[in-house]
Amino acid sequence: MMIIIIKRFRGILGALALATVAAAGCVGAEQEAAPGATAAPEGETRQAIVSQGIKDKVIAGYQGWFTAYGDGSPVERWSHWSRGTYQSNAGAPAPGYQSFELYPDVSEYSAASLFQTGYAPLGNGSPAKLFSSYPTEVVNKHFAWMQQYGIDGAALQRFAGELRDSVFKAHRDSIATKMKNAAEATGRLFYLMYDITGMDEATFVQNVQNDWTSTIVGQLRLTSSSRYAVQDGRPVVSIWGLGFTHNPGTPSQAAALIDWFHAQGVYVIGGVPTNWRTSTGDSKPGFEATYAKFDMISPWTVGRYKTDGEVDNHRNTYLVPDRDYCNGRGIAYQPVFFPGFAWSNWNGGPRNDFPRRQGNLFWRQAVNIREAGIPAAYIAMFDEYDEGTAIAKAAEDSSMAPTNQYFLTLSSDGAYVSSDFYLRLAGKATRMIERLDPVSAQVPIPLTAGPVFFRSGAEETDAALSWNNTTEAMQGVTGAEFGAVSGEPVHAASRSFRLAGRDTQTTASHAYFKAFDVNIPVQSSTQLSFWTYPQNSLGQHITVDLIMTDGSTLRDSGATDLNGVSMHPGAPRGTVNAWTQTRSRIGQWLAGKTIDRVLIAYDYGPLTGDFRGYVDDITIANP
C-alpha cells in the first residue's frame, strides 16, 4: 500500500515560525563566477545563462529559512535547526532538541557563517556547528553550487502565513533580495512561490495580493530582475497549497486569486495535491474547474512512493494521465521529484523512512519524467534539511555528524556517498529531462568524485558491510567471526569492526573476510588509512587488505606504511589494548589498478592460539 504523507505545516506562526526564501537555476559561462564559487569538479562545467522561460526548465525549491542566534538576522534566534527563544541562545540545537533530519556538510562555509551548537564534536573531531541562511555568503554559495552543477533555477518559497509577523517578513524580504542578487551574479533563473499553508481563510487572498503588489513588485522589485522567470511575456508566480484538504480556501476563493494574478499579467503555476485531477484523496472536492485555471500544474509527490515499483505505479496512475490531461487543455506540466524523505528527529517516524537508495529513487523519477516526454520538473528541495530532502551538500557519514545524536547522512543507505553527489545527480537529471543527454536507465555518475573514495567507521550512518561474516579465504583457523559490533572498543562514535578466532596451526594460518565491495581506481597519490586495536599479541596481525580487479592484493604488493612496516598481516601492527593508526601511500605500489574488494584479515604462521582485534575508521582517498 502506497504511503501517503501530507506536506507538513511549513508556515509556523509567531515566535515559532521561520522559514524563508529562495531560488536558483541555470547559468553562466558568460557570467563572472559567483561569490563563494569553487572550481568545478572533474566532468562538471559551469552552465551558460539560460532563457527566462519556465516550460522547459528543471527548478529546485529553495527555503533559505535556517537562522541562528547571533547571525544578525531580524529573527534573533535559532529556527528550523531547532526552535529557539527570541533574542537568546536558549533553544540552540542539542541532543534531543532539534527539528531537522539530514546534517549539512558545513566544511565550505566561512567561520562567520557558522554557529556553535550544543552537540558533541563531529566524528572527525571538528566542533558541531551549523550555518545560518541569513549571511550573504551562504546565499551566494548556494547559487554558486547551482551554477557549478547545472541546475536551471529555483523557486523562492514565501510562506504566506508569516507575512503578518513583521520580524519574519523582514527576514524573508532580506533573503529575497540576497537571492535576487545571487541569481543575477550566477545567471540562475528564479521565481516566487507562495505557500498558503496555515493562513487564515478569510484573509489569505487579500494578504497575498497586498504582498505581491506592495513588497514583491513594489519594494523589492523582484520581477524587474533580469533573472526573474518570464513565460509567454509574463512574470511567473507559483501558489502552493490551494485545494489541499488541510489548507484554507474554497474553490471560489482560489479561483479569485488566480484570476487576480492573471489580471496583473502574471503566469501562474499551481502547486496542487497529488489527486488534483479527480479532486479526491488529498484534494478537496469541487476544485476541478479551479485547477484548470492554472497556466502550469505541479502536483506534490514527496512521500508518495519508495520503491521502483511504486515510482512506476505513480507514473502510470498519475504522471502520464496528468500529462495527457494538461496537454489536452493547453496547460503546462511540472512534475515534482525528490531524493528521499525522513523526519524522525522532528516529527517522529522511522529513521531513513524513504531511503535515497544511493540516488536510485531520485533517478528513477527523472527517467520516468524524461520517457514521458515532459520537458520541465521541480526538485523538492534544494536546502530542505528538515525533512531530509535536500540536494545541497550534506554530511557524508558519521565523521561529518555529531557523535551524540542521530542524524541522517548520505551514506546511511550502505555505500559511501560524497557530499555533492545529489548536486551532481540533479545536474545530470536536468540534462536528461531537457533532452541534452540520452536516457540512462542506471544512475550515470559515481557515488563519489573524490578526493575521498571510501570511508567507514561501522556506524549506522556509514557505508555498511557488503557481506555478512563471509570469508574470502581461510586456513588453519577455527571459530573465526567478523562483523560490526557496539559496546566494545571503538576509536570514535559507538561501533567498530571485530575479527576473532583461533589459530590452530603453525604454518600458513589465515582468515580473510570480505568486507566492502568497491570500485576504486588507484592513482599515484592514493592513500589507505585505518585504526586497529589488538586485544592480544596475535591480534596485532589483524589488518586491512585489498584485492584488485586483476586478482592482485595489497598484502603481496610489497607496500609499506609510512613507518616502513609491511602492509602484509604477517607484520605485527600496533600495541595491545591501544588504538593505532596505519597510513600507507598505496598508490606507490598499486597505481593504475582498481580496488575491487576491501578485506579485514588475520594472517600469521609461527604461533597458535586465540586472536582478537578491532578495526575502525577505514579511509581510501587521494589527499
Side-chain angles (χ1 to χ4, degrees):
M1 181 176 181
M2 188 180 301
I3 296 175
I4 303 295
I5 294 180
I6 298 299
K7 185 182 180 186
R8 69 182 175 83
F9 185 107
R10 293 179 182 265
I12 305 173
L13 302 178
L16 297 181
L18 191 130
T20 303
V21 148
C26 219
V27 242
E30 302 127 46
Q31 295 283 323
E32 293 296 322
T38 54
E42 184 177 355
E44 302 292 339
T45 58
R46 300 187 186 282
Q47 240 182 348
I49 288 179
V50 295
S51 66
Q52 287 178 274
I54 202 68
K55 289 183 178 180
D56 59 350
K57 302 298 189 301
V58 176
I59 299 298
Y62 188 81
Q63 312 282 30
W65 59 13
F66 297 102
T67 64
Y69 179 67
D71 64 2
S73 73
V75 176
E76 296 188 82
R77 77 196 73 181
W78 287 91
S79 68
H80 281 280
W81 300 123
S82 63
R83 294 182 176 181
T85 301
Y86 185 52
Q87 295 184 331
S88 169
N89 199 45
Y97 197 78
Q98 57 275 318
S99 54
F100 69 105
E101 190 78 1
L102 180 65
Y103 207 85
D105 174 6
V106 298
S107 62
E108 294 185 30
Y109 298 102
S110 72
S113 298
L114 295 175
F115 300 85
Q116 183 62 49
T117 69
Y119 301 118
L122 309 183
N124 60 19
S126 300
K129 295 186 177 184
L130 291 167
F131 70 84
S132 166
S133 301
Y134 187 74
T136 299
E137 179 240 347
V138 171
V139 179
N140 287 343
K141 184 172 292 293
H142 288 169
F143 277 80
W145 289 344
M146 296 179 198
Q147 179 188 24
Q148 175 179 335
Y149 292 98
I151 299 169
D152 285 338
L156 165 61
Q157 305 222 330
R158 192 168 179 87
F159 295 88
E162 294 178 357
L163 299 179
R164 60 192 176 192
D165 187 311
S166 60
V167 168
F168 292 109
K169 182 179 182 300
H171 176 82
R172 292 200 176 283
D173 291 350
S174 179
I175 294 289
T177 298
K178 294 170 183 176
M179 174 273 301
K180 178 179 78 73
N181 294 337
E184 291 171 354
T186 57
R188 298 308 90 191
L189 189 65
F190 77 97
Y191 60 87
L192 192 75
M193 173 185 281
Y194 282 105
D195 187 328
I196 68 163
T197 304
M199 293 199 71
D200 181 73
E201 184 154 294
T203 61
F204 83 92
V205 173
Q206 187 64 52
N207 287 343
V208 170
Q209 292 171 351
N210 290 344
D211 183 70
W212 177 262
T213 301
S214 64
T215 302
I216 302 306
V217 176
Q219 176 189 344
L220 303 181
R221 298 181 60 81
L222 293 188
T223 57
S224 298
S225 170
S226 61
R227 289 285 82 211
Y228 196 87
V230 175
Q231 183 61 53
D232 301 335
R234 297 178 286 163
V236 174
V237 71
S238 177
I239 307 172
W240 194 97
L242 291 175
F244 279 85
T245 55
H246 64 290
N247 273 356
T250 64
S252 60
Q253 287 177 309
L257 183 57
I258 298 169
D259 289 343
W260 181 85
F261 271 112
H262 283 157
Q264 311 305 305
V266 176
Y267 184 93
V268 186
I269 302 173
V272 299
T274 305
N275 294 283
W276 68 277
R277 188 167 29 86
T278 57
S279 273
T280 59
D282 57 349
S283 173
K284 294 178 180 178
F287 268 76
E288 296 94 333
T290 302
Y291 295 140
K293 287 179 172 289
F294 286 117
D295 299 294
M296 176 180 272
I297 290 287
S298 186
W300 192 245
T301 59
V302 175
R304 271 46 174 177
Y305 37 71
K306 293 183 181 181
T307 67
D308 285 350
E310 290 173 342
V311 173
D312 291 347
N313 181 67
H314 184 90
R315 173 197 61 202
N316 299 333
T317 305
Y318 294 99
L319 184 70
V320 171
D322 283 358
R323 175 206 64 189
D324 294 344
Y325 179 99
C326 289
N327 287 347
R329 290 160 177 78
I331 303 171
Y333 188 51
Q334 185 193 55
V336 173
F337 66 124
F338 66 102
F341 170 88
W343 57 12
S344 68
N345 278 343
W346 169 64
N347 205 36
R351 294 178 175 180
N352 200 13
D353 195 3
F354 286 67
R356 295 179 175 226
R357 295 191 282 117
Q358 299 154 36
N360 285 289
L361 175 62
F362 188 78
W363 191 253
R364 185 67 167 236
Q365 296 169 81
V367 168
N368 285 349
I369 292 168
R370 163 63 187 273
E371 291 185 336
I374 302 167
Y378 179 93
I379 298 172
M381 309 284 292
F382 183 83
D383 57 341
E384 173 64 286
Y385 295 100
D386 310 51
E387 299 173 359
T389 64
I391 62 168
K393 295 186 181 183
E396 296 170 351
D397 53 24
S398 66
S399 72
M400 297 171 67
T403 56
N404 63 343
Q405 171 62 46
Y406 166 81
F407 284 104
L408 185 70
T409 74
L410 298 186
S411 297
S412 291
D413 291 338
Y416 176 75
V417 177
S418 68
S419 69
D420 71 343
F421 174 73
Y422 286 93
L423 289 171
R424 290 187 284 122
L425 193 60
K428 291 295 186 182
T430 296
R431 292 186 58 84
M432 182 177 66
I433 290 170
E434 295 175 2
R435 309 189 75 82
L436 298 173
D437 287 346
V439 176
S440 170
Q442 306 300 319
V443 171
I445 60 172
L447 295 177
T448 174
V452 178
F453 287 90
F454 176 81
R455 186 167 56 215
S456 182
E459 302 302 318
E460 176 185 2
T461 55
D462 288 348
L465 291 170
S466 304
W467 292 275
N468 180 30
N469 200 31
T470 302
T471 58
E472 177 81 23
M474 186 157 60
Q475 179 177 325
V477 169
T478 61
E481 292 184 341
F482 166 68
V485 296
S486 60
E488 300 184 37
V490 296
H491 172 249
S494 62
R495 307 201 328 167
S496 61
F497 301 109
R498 182 187 66 200
L499 176 58
R502 170 163 290 190
D503 187 330
T504 63
Q505 64 182 41
T506 58
T507 58
S509 301
H510 58 260
Y512 288 84
F513 279 84
K514 297 179 180 180
F516 300 100
D517 186 10
V518 297
N519 182 28
I520 303 174
V522 180
Q523 301 177 18
S524 59
S525 61
T526 302
Q527 295 187 20
L528 166 69
S529 69
F530 55 89
W531 292 78
T532 55
Y533 185 101
Q535 285 199 315
N536 53 30
S537 60
L538 286 183
Q540 292 176 293
H541 299 279
I542 293 174
T543 187
V544 174
D545 192 24
L546 307 174
I547 295 185
M548 310 297 120
T549 54
D550 64 2
S552 60
T553 63
L554 173 64
R555 65 180 180 269
D556 294 328
S557 66
T560 64
D561 65 17
L562 298 188
N563 296 316
V565 178
S566 170
M567 293 301 291
H568 193 286
R573 191 166 304 285
T575 303
V576 173
N577 292 325
W579 284 102
T580 301
Q581 186 180 31
T582 293
R583 291 186 295 163
S584 173
R585 297 188 181 98
I586 61 174
Q588 295 181 15
W589 295 273
L590 300 174
K593 296 178 181 286
T594 298
I595 304 171
D596 186 58
R597 299 188 295 284
V598 177
L599 309 180
I600 305 298
Y602 166 82
D603 193 336
Y604 191 58
L607 300 176
T608 62
D610 292 335
F611 59 86
R612 185 184 183 93
Y614 301 84
V615 178
D616 208 348
D617 296 329
I618 307 167
T619 301
I620 301 172
N622 295 337

